[in-house]
Amino acid sequence: MHPTSDIKMADLSLSEGARDLWEPALPQLSLALAGSEKAFLDALESAGRGAGLTQNVPVTDVLDAYGCGSEAVRGRLLEGGGDEAEAAACRLLALENVALTRVAAGYAGGLAETIERLRRLAEESSPLDVDSGAIKPAELGDRLSLEVERCQRMDLPLGLLELAVDRHEEKRREAGRPSRADLHQIGDCLRENLRRYDSVGLTADGAFVLVLPDISRRGLAGAAERIRRELGSSCGGHGAPAELTFALAHYDFVDVNAQEMLTVLGRSMNHAREAHQPIAWA
């Protein structure tokens, strides 16, 4: 019988943290000391990952927990005496560096998973699309409603511009979300060419909607031409040349609500795409 076979967790008088680390690994210890370390090291890494996920204790405490458990196991081995027990204690000590490395790797993996989960939560809770920096579709109506109220209150005109970017001629009739590269590049380009109080949003199918308060009809047409020119040069590096479709709507007097505006603009975009027209006025 292997010298570790009789060692139980209750015999080791470990702290709670050390027990959490060693309890899943102890049953695999006899195999590890016989030369088959994989199950033992995997159990340690898994326990380290759990600690990293919960973050109840710092990594230094988890590493110390391994050292305390290892010392306690060696002590129990040496209590029994005999050459076999002494050899097992030496082999356990020789495993310490690789065991600590696996514990640390597990903890790091747990932290990475936690960071990724928090990143996803932050993206989901943000009103902005992570790829383009534009207002998410669910938030666009509310943002436009605020601009409608402001323009009504201050008696300002309002311009809307919807922009769709297509890469393949056969998909012109489809409303497919642009690639992440396109979204990032277009978002940057739009922000560089708009005023600080203009807004950029996304529709559910990936088209951009620009909300431009206090702009004339001629100014809206000029903005569309400037954006077309800038995007034509900046969006040509990701596969097929980009095909840009614009739908424009201008209100000298803002007398409709945000949802009606978006509906009219969307219809104009659909008409422009179906007719293969680069621009359509609502």
Side-chain angles (χ1 to χ4, degrees):
M1 181 177 291
H2 196 276
T4 61
S5 301
D6 293 332
I7 299 178
K8 309 298 180 187
M9 286 299 302
D11 301 331
L12 300 178
S13 301
L14 297 178
S15 66
E16 181 180 355
R19 284 199 308 272
D20 290 343
L21 185 68
W22 273 89
E23 193 162 19
L26 189 61
Q28 316 300 330
L29 182 58
S30 59
L31 286 175
L33 298 184
S36 299
E37 303 96 348
K38 184 178 186 307
F40 175 70
L41 296 175
D42 286 349
L44 288 173
E45 184 169 341
S46 179
R49 174 181 169 276
L53 283 171
T54 60
Q55 299 176 66
N56 290 332
V57 292
V59 66
T60 51
D61 288 0
V62 179
L63 296 176
D64 287 344
Y66 175 82
C68 291
S70 178
E71 184 177 357
V73 171
R74 293 198 309 272
R76 290 291 298 177
L77 286 169
L78 294 174
E79 281 179 13
D83 294 342
E84 188 177 6
E86 186 173 346
C90 290
R91 285 196 294 272
L92 178 57
L93 186 60
L95 275 176
E96 185 157 325
N97 285 340
V98 67
L100 288 171
T101 300
R102 292 291 293 273
V103 172
Y107 194 94
L111 283 180
E113 290 183 39
T114 300
I115 291 169
E116 177 61 20
R117 177 176 56 82
L118 293 175
R119 184 191 65 78
R120 288 196 302 268
L121 286 174
E123 288 181 7
E124 291 168 3
S125 61
S126 172
L128 302 181
D129 175 72
V130 66
D131 295 318
S132 64
I135 300 167
K136 290 178 179 177
E139 312 288 339
L140 178 58
D142 291 340
R143 181 58 176 270
L144 179 55
S145 293
L146 292 175
E147 287 296 345
V148 166
E149 292 176 8
R150 189 169 74 89
C151 289
Q152 290 173 338
R153 186 173 64 252
M154 301 179 67
D155 196 22
L156 297 173
L158 178 64
L160 298 179
L161 183 155
E162 183 169 347
L163 165 65
V165 180
D166 296 294
R167 285 291 179 187
H168 303 290
E169 180 66 27
E170 64 271 20
K171 294 187 178 180
R172 283 293 299 269
R173 295 176 183 269
E174 299 178 9
R177 182 178 171 87
S179 68
R180 297 188 69 175
D182 276 342
L183 286 169
H184 180 77
Q185 208 165 41
I186 295 167
D188 285 349
C189 182
L190 292 177
R191 284 189 294 275
E192 290 173 2
N193 286 278
L194 295 180
R195 302 164 299 182
R196 61 178 177 80
Y197 50 83
D198 296 331
S199 302
V200 181
L202 281 175
T203 66
D205 58 14
F208 286 82
V209 173
L210 280 58
V211 181
L212 310 170
D214 195 18
I215 193 170
S216 66
R217 183 180 177 90
R218 178 178 295 181
L220 180 60
E225 174 58 28
R226 183 173 65 254
I227 291 168
R228 183 197 64 77
R229 186 173 60 250
E230 292 294 331
L231 286 177
S233 60
S234 66
C235 288
H238 297 283
E243 299 175 37
L244 308 178
T245 306
F246 293 85
L248 309 178
H250 187 265
Y251 299 87
D252 286 316
F253 303 98
V254 181
D255 55 357
V256 296
N257 63 39
Q259 189 54 55
E260 290 177 286
M261 290 181 175
L262 292 174
T263 299
V264 169
L265 196 64
R267 287 174 183 164
S268 297
M269 174 58 72
N270 290 337
H271 173 75
R273 281 184 157 194
E274 289 171 359
H276 289 226
Q277 294 176 349
I279 188 168
W281 282 88

